[in-house]
Amino acid sequence: MARPERNSAERAERPEAAADGADAGAKKSFFKRRKSCPFSGKDAQAIDWKDVRTLGRYVSERGKMMPSRITSVCQKKQRELAQAIKRSRYMALMPYVRTEMENTRGPRPERSFDRPERSYSNDRSDRPSRDNAE
Amino acid sequence: MPIYETVFITRQDLGVAQVEQLTKDYSKVLTDMGGKILKTEQWGLRTFAYIINKSKKGHYTLIESDCPAPAVIEMERLMRNNEDIVRYMSIKLDAPTTGPSAIIAKHDNDERDFNTQEVA
């Protein structure tokens, strides 16, 4: 895997997207359904910087914004979304970076070097199986 | 007059009454300069996503107003001078909002959202 961090983040949040990135050419036949932009259209959701729950869906586990090619947000809305996330970050509703220490949402990928001495005992159960799957 | 939405964060150790007093003060600044308050919201004490000025929490307040730009500038100047204000942000809106903002509304919807996801 050439891009370890991104791939691991994708896998955690959007498994199908990670598979798509791995070999897009072969997967095309499996993933014909191209999702349309969730923010455009008739009864689309408005992008609001205060709506942390919605914005959180377009941010990786690390707290980085997701590229629109994964989330299939259209260009215009992606710009709005980026602005909203930045506002939300400024007002401390969302993190700029989320480190592994704060992350309580489940297992993290192995690769990082700033991991403390394995303190999350419940995380460990998931990790070996994940590695085998690779 | 344009519609502005201002959110400011006050220090954690302020009481609710003090926060409301501040809200009133700033609302008064806006109204004195010819503005109109459309909505105020107290989001209460929220935990920050990261540490600001060595503190982890703060009181969030939202003021939505229909007021001339100089009023907002004046209000921001006062906020900058006030040490109890940790952070503030004013944004120009295209249209006045209806109903409570997402932060408050989502508290009620939390469980319902999870349920619908499970069904679908």
Side-chain angles (χ1 to χ4, degrees):
Chain A
M1 289 285 185
R3 298 163 299 178
E5 201 220 340
R6 180 178 303 149
N7 276 334
S8 54
E10 279 170 8
R11 199 178 302 129
E13 285 181 10
R14 302 172 54 93
E16 78 281 18
D20 201 34
D23 44 355
K27 281 281 148 66
K28 248 176 196 164
S29 51
F30 292 101
F31 294 95
K32 255 181 191 166
R33 187 178 61 98
R34 172 83 176 141
K35 269 202 293 176
S36 62
C37 173
F39 294 110
S40 40
K42 227 181 187 179
D43 39 43
Q45 227 178 338
I47 298 176
D48 182 10
W49 68 271
K50 302 186 287 311
D51 192 353
V52 185
R53 282 177 117 261
T54 311
L55 296 182
R57 250 177 269 151
Y58 300 94
V59 151
S60 79
E61 223 166 293
R62 270 268 175 187
K64 295 164 133 187
M65 292 177 206
M66 299 281 272
S68 57
R69 77 189 133 83
I70 288 168
T71 57
S72 72
V73 178
C74 67
Q75 263 311 296
K76 191 175 173 185
K77 294 292 175 181
Q78 177 75 5
R79 268 178 263 134
E80 276 178 40
L81 186 66
Q83 183 59 259
I85 291 174
K86 285 170 188 172
R87 283 175 178 166
S88 191
R89 280 175 180 167
Y90 176 70
M91 292 310 276
L93 299 177
M94 287 172 86
Y96 282 99
V97 281
R98 194 171 322 184
T99 56
E100 295 173 31
M101 301 278 288
E102 305 162 33
N103 182 30
T104 51
R105 272 199 301 175
R108 292 286 307 172
E110 279 277 72
R111 297 184 180 81
S112 175
F113 40 82
D114 51 16
R115 165 181 293 281
E117 269 301 296
R118 308 222 162 183
S119 50
Y120 311 119
S121 53
N122 45 349
D123 280 5
R124 221 184 306 176
S125 57
D126 281 27
R127 214 172 284 125
S129 60
R130 173 185 286 269
D131 280 357
N132 291 341
E134 271 182 56
Chain B
M1 283 184 287
I3 292 150
Y4 292 99
E5 168 188 72
T6 306
V7 176
F8 62 91
I9 308 175
T10 42
R11 281 218 324 261
Q12 182 186 354
D13 37 320
L14 256 61
V16 176
Q18 281 170 292
V19 176
E20 274 171 5
Q21 184 56 45
L22 276 175
T23 315
K24 263 185 221 152
D25 292 348
Y26 291 126
S27 305
K28 192 168 179 300
V29 173
L30 295 179
T31 47
D32 282 353
M33 293 183 73
K36 201 168 67 185
I37 305 297
L38 303 179
K39 183 167 82 176
T40 56
E41 278 177 9
Q42 298 291 344
W43 296 354
L45 191 65
R46 288 181 57 88
T47 312
F48 297 151
Y50 48 88
I51 290 172
I52 303 176
N53 296 347
K54 295 178 191 169
S55 59
K56 288 181 180 170
K57 286 180 181 174
H59 299 274
Y60 282 68
T61 310
L62 176 140
I63 301 176
E64 197 179 306
S65 56
D66 185 4
C67 61
V72 175
I73 291 169
E74 170 66 7
M75 182 186 64
E76 289 200 330
R77 188 186 68 80
L78 292 169
M79 284 183 178
R80 204 156 39 233
N81 292 346
N82 190 336
E83 297 215 333
D84 289 332
I85 307 279
V86 178
R87 213 160 259 208
Y88 58 86
M89 181 166 72
S90 300
I91 286 169
K92 194 163 144 189
L93 299 179
D94 297 329
T97 54
T98 51
S101 60
I103 289 263
I104 299 188
K106 286 295 175 187
H107 285 302
D108 311 330
N109 292 341
D110 264 1
E111 284 177 358
R112 214 180 306 151
D113 280 1
F114 280 122
N115 289 339
T116 48
Q117 272 173 12
E118 277 162 23
V119 171

